Amino acid sequence: MFPVDKFQDTRTPFYYYDTQLLRETLKTINEESGKHANYHVHYAVKANANQKILHIISQYGLGADCVSGGEIKAALEAGFPVDSIVYAGVGKSDWEIELGLQNDIACFNVESIAELEVINDLAQKHGKKARVAFRINPNIGAHTHANITTGLAENKFGIAMQDMDKVIDEAQTMANVEVIGLHFHIGSQILDMGDFKALCNRINDLQSQLAKRNVFVQNINVGGGLGVSYDNPDREPIPDFKDYFNTYATHLRLRNDQQLHFELGRSVVAQCGSLITRLLYVKQGSYKQFAIVDAGMTDLIRPALYQALHKIQNISSDEPNETYDVVGPICESSDVFAKAIDLNRCHRGDLLAIRSAGAYGEIMASGYNCRPLPEGYISEEFR
Ligand code: LLP
């Protein structure tokens, strides 16, 4: 599956992206979302902003969901149409708002009254009218890691439900904003469709509440969050988009002319990416053996930050399995990719693939310990 021979001359660690799988995933998303009238999928740029990846995604007609001025620039450079760009974020700086206004992006997802006032002022200054959606905090938990739950009242995200009416009233007094939607996002790596169903029920309630006041918004944006199989990337390379979209079709009540927007990140790119790392040393500890590799938490921080378990394979060896802790070279005890896992017997120089690393991998890399950032290559570059 990996062109191991062709990897030999490439400096490790690096990210490898299987573009055939990426394309198949995008095709599935388009087929499954296309079965529902009025569904629009945006790609959450935060998951992976490698230009080569962004460019492929933009070719499939997805919009872009951005959370910073830098991401808006990256999306524009990759060819996403401006009118498909939505911009969320709890702390937008003035220059970022101005960048969005100057480019006439599709929508600002607004997270507070204070932010709404700044957007209105800046829009007035530039002679623009900003389209806005209110990000509502629906106070819904998700069955995922606490660090990636976003829709609870205790989280910093979104406007509290009880303030929704007030915010909408306030916006109606402002000359340079136009309210076009409501936005939600309850968390990430969600595999229990019941969580999305709970979100649908909450949105139905909020919409009925608004209807009583004769407020009708054109767009509902339900964010992203669909999870992937980290245990079995080969058995489940493409997430169950059919079930995901059907969950919304079954439970969310939309008016005929209402548009439903999604912001999918992980489910689009996670499975097509692997972090390729070289084995430096096998070290015998007092009661275990360590496979010390040249990638560390600086290249892939998910195991250290969220206790994420990525499947690891020795792609250079087919010798019998032995048990290893796979660790990196960083001076931190949390620089561990996996404990007590079986790998084909390891030797210095072997290449290991850390799987399902296409989302929140390369983009979260840092230069801690003065390490260079890993490169990202697409499969075409190894032909
Ligand atoms: N929309 C909003 C407003 C978001 O905050 C996020 C992710 C998404 C969409 C995309 O969610 P996805 O479809 O990828 O689940 N670094 C963490 C994940 C952080 C997610 C942040 N927000 C990780 O590696 O698990």
Side-chain angles (χ1 to χ4, degrees):
M1 172 195 166
F2 291 101
V4 182
D5 291 346
K6 304 219 165 93
F7 284 169
Q8 292 306 333
D9 299 330
T10 306
R11 195 186 75 184
T12 50
F14 63 88
Y15 278 89
Y16 171 76
Y17 300 109
D18 173 351
T19 55
Q20 194 187 331
L21 177 57
L22 175 61
R23 288 177 191 281
E24 280 167 23
T25 306
L26 290 161
K27 200 165 146 261
T28 308
I29 292 173
N30 282 343
E31 279 168 9
E32 294 303 334
S33 65
K35 291 180 185 164
H36 307 275
N38 313 341
Y39 280 23
H40 307 269
V41 180
H42 302 256
Y43 167 63
V45 175
K46 63 176 81 65
N48 186 322
N50 182 310
Q51 274 297 322
K52 292 173 254 187
I53 298 293
L54 288 183
H55 186 69
I56 294 174
I57 297 173
S58 75
Q59 287 172 341
Y60 281 76
L62 275 70
D65 157 42
C66 301
V67 288
S68 72
E71 285 192 358
I72 295 176
K73 287 183 188 171
L76 290 172
E77 188 188 333
F80 286 93
V82 277
D83 61 3
S84 79
I85 295 181
V86 295
Y87 174 25
V90 61
K92 302 179 184 73
S93 299
D94 291 14
W95 74 266
E96 296 179 304
I97 295 171
E98 288 181 314
L99 182 73
L101 288 169
Q102 277 150 7
N103 283 289
D104 277 323
I105 60 166
C107 188
F108 290 85
N109 293 333
V110 172
E111 305 220 12
S112 65
I113 285 253
E115 179 195 330
L116 182 69
E117 285 165 358
V118 172
I119 292 178
N120 186 50
D121 288 350
L122 292 174
Q124 187 181 20
K125 182 173 138 196
H126 293 278
K128 301 272 187 184
K129 192 157 190 168
R131 286 170 294 275
V132 302
F134 289 116
R135 178 169 181 177
I136 306 297
N137 184 321
N139 195 18
I140 286 179
H143 295 89
T144 186
H145 192 278
N147 288 14
I148 49 177
T149 298
T150 50
L152 284 173
E154 69 189 52
N155 297 130
K156 68 179 175 180
F157 299 102
I159 294 166
M161 271 182 298
Q162 64 270 23
D163 291 338
M164 183 179 75
D165 291 346
K166 197 167 73 192
V167 172
I168 290 177
D169 290 345
E170 178 112 9
Q172 275 160 358
T173 67
M174 294 181 181
N176 294 81
V177 295
E178 179 193 358
V179 180
I180 61 163
L182 296 179
H183 176 231
F184 306 84
H185 175 73
I186 56 172
S188 200
Q189 183 53 20
I190 296 171
L191 290 166
D192 181 346
M193 293 301 123
D195 292 340
F196 297 120
K197 181 181 164 197
L199 174 63
C200 292
N201 292 339
R202 179 57 47 82
I203 298 173
N204 292 340
D205 290 347
L206 292 174
Q207 291 232 87
S208 321
Q209 204 177 305
L210 288 176
K212 283 190 201 131
R213 303 175 62 229
N214 264 329
V215 176
F216 300 98
V217 292
Q218 175 185 324
N219 295 328
I220 297 293
N221 180 332
V222 289
L226 177 62
V228 302
S229 169
Y230 283 95
D231 300 335
N232 251 313
D234 291 323
R235 205 182 310 150
E236 295 175 63
I238 300 181
D240 194 345
F241 292 107
K242 184 179 183 156
D243 193 22
Y244 174 71
F245 291 122
N246 279 345
T247 300
Y248 283 97
T250 310
H251 299 286
L252 188 65
R253 288 198 301 270
L254 291 177
R255 290 194 321 275
N256 282 343
D257 58 339
Q258 226 169 11
Q259 310 295 311
L260 183 60
H261 293 254
F262 298 85
E263 302 170 339
L264 295 173
R266 187 189 318 264
S267 52
V268 184
V269 289
Q271 299 295 33
C272 76
S274 297
L275 176 60
I276 308 296
T277 178
R278 202 174 285 279
L279 193 126
L280 296 173
Y281 309 104
V282 174
K283 177 164 107 169
Q284 298 298 328
S286 48
Y287 64 96
K288 49 164 83 167
Q289 62 179 351
F290 295 99
I292 303 174
V293 297
D294 63 2
M297 61 192 284
T298 52
D299 306 296
L300 178 66
I301 201 173
R302 303 195 68 261
L305 201 54
Y306 317 113
Q307 295 72 52
L309 284 175
H310 288 249
K311 193 172 171 187
I312 305 180
Q313 285 166 260
N314 185 341
I315 56 175
S316 299
S317 163
D318 53 11
E319 293 178 34
N321 281 349
E322 289 191 13
T323 305
Y324 302 89
D325 279 17
V326 181
V327 302
I330 312 297
C331 299
E332 296 265 351
S333 298
S334 53
D335 186 29
V336 174
F337 288 116
K339 288 189 175 165
I341 59 157
D342 284 348
L343 290 176
N344 295 101
R345 184 180 299 137
C346 290
H347 305 276
R348 175 172 168 80
D350 286 355
L351 291 174
L352 271 56
I354 306 182
R355 305 288 306 278
S356 313
Y360 307 108
E362 183 181 355
I363 192 68
M364 291 181 80
S366 80
Y368 182 42
N369 282 194
C370 289
R371 285 167 57 85
L373 293 176
E375 284 292 331
Y377 300 104
I378 54 174
S379 32
E380 282 86 334
E381 294 176 90
F382 291 98
R383 287 241 171 87

